[in-house]
Amino acid sequence: MNEKALHTLEFDKIIEKLTGYAVSPMAKERAAALQPSSALSDIAIWQQETTEAVSMVLRKGGPSFGGFREIRPQLKRAAMAGMLSVGELMTMGEFLYVCRKIKNYAKRENAAEVYERLDEYFDLIVPLDTLENEISRCILSETEIADNASAGLRSVRKEIKISNDRVKDHLNSIISSSAYRNMLQDFVITIRNDRYCVPVKSEYRNTFPGMIHDQSNTGSTLFMEPLSVIQLNNKIKELQAKEKEEIEKILRMLSEMVTSNAVSIEANLELLTQLDFIFAKAALSLSMDGTQPLFNTEGYVNIQKARHPLLDTKTVVPIDIYLGKEFTTLLITGPNTGGKTVALKTLGLFSLMGQAGLHIPAFDHSQLAVFDRVFADIGDEQSIEQSLSTFSAHMTNIVKIMEEVTDHSLVLFDELGAGTDPTEGAALAIAIIQALRERQIRTAVTTHYSELKVFALSTEGVENACCEFSVETLRPTYRLLIGIPGKSNAFAISRRLGLQEYILESAQEFISQDEARFEDVITDLEISKKSVVFEQERAEQYRKEAEALKLEVERQKQKTQEQKEKILQKAREEAKQLYAKAKEEADSIIKEMNRQAKEANSRQKMLDNRAKLNEKLSSMQEDFLKSRKMKPTHKAPEKLQAGDRVYVISFDQKGVALTAPDRNKEVMVQMGVMKIKVPLAELMLDDTPLPKEKKKQTMPKAKTAKSQFISAEIDCRGQLVDEALANIDKYIDDAYLSGLKQIVIIHGKGTGALRAAVQSYLRTNPHVKSHRPGAYGEGEAGVTVVELK
């Protein structure tokens, strides 16, 4: 790309913003070196990466690259088998932590999350948990190694602590001794040259037994190491040397682990740098509400609602700009500060951003073309140092552009031909535009020359455009209107500002009739264009309102239909439940009535049989006792109460005492269904544990006497289907309650409709076990034989 154009179109400022969103130094370097590409395949990949990163951030928040710092020097030293310092290993551990954190961030919450490009980067990250854990275990901070980093270090530090305590104890005894009280300047222990000392008055230098290591600024105090602790201090120095050796062993061990994993670490570094860079592009896109543009190789550009990314988002006016399909050259005219140059820069900057893989702040599906180079001649090129006027500076730049431009380039000219005689300048501008148009080179030009407006109206492939200006407010609206030329509005602006009318009338006399007529045509065109645009906007608004109203009517209609279906369904369910409940209650009442009738008939018989059985059992007991003639050898229960479990010796049975012993020492005992009086001497208390209670078995339903009144067949011939099914339903209920196992339904042969309805109903009746057509001699197809449950 043309470096001058990159600077002119302020692409470098976009790169500065992108660099600010990157976290690591490596990603910042990559962002700063970003250049637009002219290869469509590269552009497509870069745009897809940015889009996927934006989607990922919106779905689960942005990844955290905190702690991702420069580690390339550490890797280089480790590759040469060098030993890394504590701080360098700490930085390496933080990098490994970021790798693991980014790997976890990429875990999918559901199968629908697919990021084709980013998943490749995330999948290739190799977490080095062993190395990370070992570094975090051994290194507590950039200046501290953990005691548990190794057994040797732990042992040495323990000895150092013990030796230090001994030295302190000995020095404490010296400073608290009365023998040295007058010699000491202060009763404290201090360290000089890594050795424990005490402050001694200078006049006792020869009296106090010790070695001088330092003195105060005034010389009145000497810091002396007592002779009695020199040996202990020497031991501490030796232990400190051992500690340093142990720390070096630990650092070398960790450095070797880094060396052995250097390939994986370098790969992770490249992956994290790329991901940091991609998510920086995503952050830039989100900050300016960007979208992914669509690219083509046909030179077609169509940007909708474009907002220049360096302008205030609250005040910038979106513009629509397109070229390359119906015309290749766009000629923009209008008053100064009306937005012509901004439109030109927006077109060029968006092309550069899109080809660099960045989103653009515009509507979705905006289209950009792939240009091999972008050229721009914008701004005041005047140079005092090079003795170049504005025109000369511009022309120098234009000459270079015309030499280097290709058929697939984008060319942007601001105020082409300005800075010289208007007639000659307009002629040069037309010639340059014509040369570019003949080669179908996409070109956008801003100008004030009326000759260029006429050229655009009369030349195929060249289209006029203007930046709208409000004469009422004397302010530009900054809207770009493609299809009509712009006016300078010099007279209108001057009149509104208060210039005398006679001066304006005099000025108009100097304008030829053709020029005035042309300006009037421009005015009419502009008014017509505004009217058309307004009507189009109103029509679009009405269309949207009609569409919304149609959707609302359809929604209300659908909602009404759903409510109707719900009400009907609910009514059906309630009716079904009421019918089932009524039928259940009727069945229950009939069963209860049948049960009570049967119980009334059998209760008296049961009482008579029980009396006869008791008499017979009493007789049998007396006969049995007489035949046994046995005398009890056990001791009868002394305190027998009703409810006690007993063993009846004479019957060899267990039972329950229903009463306490009477005056005749007899006890009423129940054994199973039998109740008899037994002499107390024949009883023993039953101490055996009770068996676990079994679940009560439900007795089969008693069959009612109604069966004798229910026929085993029902005749439905001649009845309608609904009438027949109602009669059959009632008949089956009665037959089931009466205990009938098999019934016959006579429906006749006829058309077969009644037979089909009956058999369909039987498949849904809960009392029916099975059914079949009648056999030969039973009525054949004219009957259905039903077996009940």
Side-chain angles (χ1 to χ4, degrees):
M1 282 293 172
N2 183 275
E3 290 296 330
K4 180 176 177 59
L6 294 178
H7 176 71
T8 301
L9 297 173
E10 300 178 294
F11 181 73
D12 51 345
K13 293 183 179 179
I14 300 296
I15 293 300
E16 287 179 11
K17 296 181 70 173
L18 174 64
T19 304
Y21 287 110
V23 177
S24 65
M26 293 73 71
K28 288 181 180 294
E29 291 176 5
R30 190 160 298 184
L34 180 63
Q35 289 282 326
S37 172
S38 58
L40 182 59
S41 58
D42 291 341
I43 297 171
I45 291 173
W46 295 350
Q47 286 287 347
Q48 184 180 355
E49 289 175 348
T50 307
T51 300
E52 289 182 4
V54 169
S55 176
M56 215 167 188
V57 170
L58 293 176
R59 183 182 291 268
K60 59 172 63 176
S64 174
F65 290 95
F68 184 18
R69 294 186 285 176
E70 177 68 84
I71 63 168
R72 287 174 293 186
Q74 293 91 308
L75 279 176
K76 186 176 181 180
R77 190 178 301 109
M80 296 185 295
M83 186 179 74
L84 303 181
S85 66
V86 177
E88 290 173 332
L89 288 169
M90 190 79 175
T91 302
M92 187 65 66
E94 291 174 352
F95 169 74
L96 297 176
Y97 169 70
V98 174
C99 291
R100 178 166 54 86
K101 191 166 54 172
I102 297 300
K103 185 78 172 180
N104 293 333
Y105 168 82
K107 290 181 179 177
R108 297 177 184 175
E109 297 175 358
N110 56 69
E113 293 183 36
V114 178
Y115 304 99
E116 182 181 351
R117 294 295 309 172
L118 295 187
D119 283 346
E120 293 182 7
Y121 295 122
F122 288 123
D123 292 341
L124 291 173
I125 296 176
V126 180
L128 301 173
D129 296 338
T130 302
L131 178 56
E132 179 192 350
N133 294 335
E134 194 65 15
I135 291 175
S136 62
R137 183 185 69 84
C138 296
I139 300 177
L140 300 179
S141 68
E142 293 185 356
T143 59
E144 185 179 3
I145 302 292
D147 293 346
N148 294 326
S150 70
L153 182 61
R154 182 172 58 251
S155 175
V156 169
R157 285 185 172 174
K158 185 176 180 181
E159 291 185 33
I160 291 174
K161 185 177 183 304
I162 293 172
S163 298
N164 284 330
D165 291 341
R166 287 177 180 173
V167 171
K168 289 178 182 178
D169 291 342
H170 194 82
L171 292 176
N172 281 326
S173 64
I174 291 175
I175 63 178
S176 60
S177 173
S178 58
Y180 300 105
R181 184 174 301 275
N182 295 328
M183 298 182 185
L184 299 177
Q185 188 78 308
D186 199 357
F187 303 104
V188 295
I189 300 172
T190 184
I191 297 177
R192 289 293 185 274
N193 300 327
D194 294 331
R195 301 181 76 87
Y196 287 101
C197 302
V198 293
V200 179
K201 297 176 181 178
S202 58
E203 57 265 28
Y204 294 102
R205 88 170 48 227
N206 297 324
T207 307
F208 187 84
M211 182 182 299
I212 299 173
H213 286 281
D214 198 1
Q215 67 179 11
S216 64
N217 292 334
T218 61
S220 60
T221 303
L222 303 176
F223 298 98
M224 301 183 66
E225 178 184 8
L227 294 176
S228 56
V229 299
I230 289 178
Q231 194 66 28
L232 289 174
N233 273 333
N234 289 339
K235 183 179 181 181
I236 290 174
K237 294 291 287 184
E238 292 175 1
L239 291 172
Q240 288 174 343
K242 288 183 179 180
E243 179 188 25
K244 187 176 180 181
E245 291 177 2
E246 288 294 330
I247 290 175
E248 289 182 355
K249 288 180 182 178
I250 295 167
L251 296 179
R252 189 161 297 281
M253 179 268 294
L254 294 175
S255 299
E256 290 174 355
M257 292 182 67
V258 172
T259 302
S260 62
N261 291 280
V263 175
S264 298
I265 295 173
E266 287 178 2
N268 286 348
L269 176 62
E270 173 61 27
L271 292 169
L272 256 64
T273 300
Q274 183 65 13
L275 287 170
D276 188 3
F277 168 65
I278 291 172
F279 278 97
K281 294 195 295 179
L284 177 64
S285 173
L286 291 170
S287 70
M288 60 186 184
D289 196 17
T291 61
Q292 177 181 348
L294 305 178
F295 276 89
N296 63 83
T297 56
E298 286 76 32
Y300 177 53
V301 176
N302 183 14
I303 308 173
Q304 303 172 9
K305 305 301 179 185
R307 307 176 307 278
H308 196 287
L310 298 178
L311 296 179
D312 187 354
T313 56
K314 296 180 181 179
T315 58
V316 63
V317 177
I319 62 172
D320 298 333
I321 185 167
Y322 56 90
L323 80 159
K325 183 173 285 188
E326 297 175 355
F327 53 89
T328 59
T329 303
L330 185 65
L331 189 65
I332 305 173
T333 55
N336 290 326
T337 70
K340 302 189 302 299
T341 304
V342 171
L344 212 62
K345 284 188 172 183
T346 300
L347 174 60
L349 182 58
F350 276 27
S351 297
L352 296 175
M353 289 175 63
Q355 291 183 220
L358 303 177
H359 285 178
I360 60 174
F363 268 16
D364 284 336
H365 308 301
S366 291
Q367 298 190 53
L368 294 175
V370 179
F371 298 111
D372 57 358
R373 302 185 72 179
V374 176
F375 297 94
D377 179 57
I378 299 174
D380 189 359
E381 298 289 339
Q382 184 173 1
S383 174
I384 298 176
E385 294 180 357
Q386 299 179 12
S387 300
L388 294 176
S389 65
T390 300
F391 176 77
S392 299
H394 277 294
M395 192 52 61
T396 301
N397 195 22
I398 291 170
V399 169
K400 187 175 182 181
I401 291 173
M402 298 301 290
E403 290 174 351
E404 298 179 359
V405 72
T406 69
D407 294 346
H408 302 287
S409 299
L410 173 66
V411 180
L412 308 172
F413 289 130
D414 185 28
E415 301 293 351
L416 182 61
T420 188
D421 178 74
T423 303
E424 294 181 355
L428 280 172
I430 291 173
I432 293 170
I433 294 172
Q434 183 70 11
L436 295 172
R437 186 187 68 83
E438 291 174 354
R439 295 174 60 183
Q440 297 292 303
I441 296 172
R442 274 53 180 171
T443 308
V445 181
T446 67
T447 184
H448 283 289
Y449 292 144
S450 297
E451 292 86 347
L452 268 66
K453 302 176 190 178
V454 176
F455 172 74
L457 287 172
S458 60
T459 306
E460 184 179 357
V462 183
E463 185 63 81
N464 269 310
C466 71
C467 289
E468 191 178 42
F469 186 87
S470 173
V471 180
E472 288 77 13
T473 62
L474 298 180
R475 291 179 180 274
T477 65
Y478 301 106
R479 292 177 57 197
L480 183 66
L481 304 178
I482 297 179
I484 60 174
K487 292 176 61 178
S488 64
N489 296 298
F491 288 172
I493 294 173
S494 299
R495 179 177 286 108
R496 188 165 183 83
L497 291 175
L499 187 63
Q500 289 83 351
E501 191 66 29
Y502 73 90
I503 297 178
L504 293 172
E505 292 176 357
S506 176
Q508 288 177 345
E509 293 177 359
F510 292 104
I511 298 178
S512 66
Q513 289 186 349
D514 291 339
E515 290 175 342
R517 191 178 301 110
F518 179 72
E519 289 294 327
D520 292 339
V521 170
I522 291 175
T523 302
D524 293 340
L525 280 173
E526 189 168 0
I527 294 172
S528 300
K529 180 72 174 182
K530 288 182 179 179
S531 177
V532 170
V533 170
F534 176 72
E535 293 299 330
Q536 286 178 342
E537 290 177 350
R538 286 184 60 188
E540 180 65 17
Q541 182 180 356
Y542 291 152
R543 187 192 67 79
K544 290 181 178 178
E545 290 177 356
E547 187 70 22
L549 186 60
K550 179 183 177 182
L551 292 175
E552 179 64 20
V553 171
E554 291 292 336
R555 189 182 67 81
Q556 291 292 344
K557 183 179 178 181
Q558 180 68 21
K559 185 178 179 180
T560 303
Q561 184 65 26
E562 291 176 356
Q563 289 177 344
K564 180 181 177 182
E565 290 294 332
K566 288 181 180 178
I567 292 171
L568 291 175
Q569 183 64 25
K570 186 177 180 181
R572 294 191 195 101
E573 292 292 334
E574 290 178 352
K576 188 175 180 181
Q577 291 175 3
L578 287 172
Y579 173 76
K581 186 176 180 181
K583 184 176 180 182
E584 183 180 353
E585 291 178 354
D587 291 345
S588 177
I589 292 171
I590 293 172
K591 290 180 181 179
E592 182 64 21
M593 291 174 63
N594 290 334
R595 184 185 65 79
Q596 291 178 357
K598 187 172 182 179
E599 287 181 353
N601 293 331
S602 62
R603 186 177 293 114
Q604 188 61 39
K605 292 181 181 179
M606 289 176 61
L607 294 174
D608 294 341
N609 292 334
R610 182 180 295 172
K612 292 178 182 179
L613 182 60
N614 286 338
E615 291 176 2
K616 186 175 181 180
L617 288 173
S618 299
S619 176
M620 289 174 62
Q621 178 190 13
E622 292 175 0
D623 294 342
F624 181 74
L625 290 173
K626 289 177 182 179
S627 65
R628 298 280 298 269
K629 292 182 181 179
M630 55 186 294
K631 294 182 179 180
T633 59
H634 66 283
K635 187 178 180 180
E638 294 179 356
K639 297 180 180 180
L640 186 64
Q641 297 178 354
D644 289 346
R645 292 187 298 119
V646 296
Y647 173 70
V648 185
I649 300 171
S650 56
F651 285 91
D652 192 22
Q653 292 289 330
K654 296 178 180 178
V656 178
L658 299 178
T659 63
D662 57 14
R663 69 179 70 180
N664 297 324
K665 293 189 177 181
E666 290 184 343
V667 181
M668 180 65 73
V669 178
Q670 181 170 358
M671 295 179 289
V673 297
M674 183 173 61
K675 294 181 182 179
I676 60 173
K677 279 191 175 183
V678 180
L680 182 60
E682 292 293 329
L683 298 179
M684 294 176 58
L685 288 174
D686 182 9
D687 297 330
T688 60
L690 288 172
K692 292 182 179 178
E693 185 178 353
K694 296 182 178 179
K695 293 182 179 179
K696 294 182 180 180
Q697 296 182 350
T698 57
M699 298 298 292
K701 297 180 179 179
K703 303 301 179 181
T704 67
K706 192 175 180 180
S707 59
Q708 57 183 324
F709 303 111
I710 297 296
S711 173
E713 63 182 30
I714 180 173
D715 191 349
C716 300
R717 289 176 294 181
Q719 299 178 5
L720 297 175
V721 172
D722 292 340
E723 180 185 2
L725 293 181
N727 292 334
I728 291 171
D729 182 69
K730 183 177 182 304
Y731 170 71
I732 290 177
D733 288 344
D734 293 342
Y736 174 75
L737 294 173
S738 299
L740 295 180
K741 289 297 183 182
Q742 183 172 300
I743 60 173
V744 177
I745 299 175
I746 303 172
H747 43 66
K749 296 181 181 178
T751 61
L754 182 57
R755 179 177 68 248
V758 169
Q759 291 177 354
S760 175
Y761 162 76
L762 292 175
R763 284 193 288 270
T764 63
N765 192 293
H767 299 318
V768 175
K769 183 177 182 181
S770 64
H771 63 88
R772 61 177 175 81
Y776 178 75
E778 292 179 328
E780 301 180 3
V783 301
T784 297
V785 181
V786 181
E787 184 179 354
L788 301 178
K789 296 180 180 178

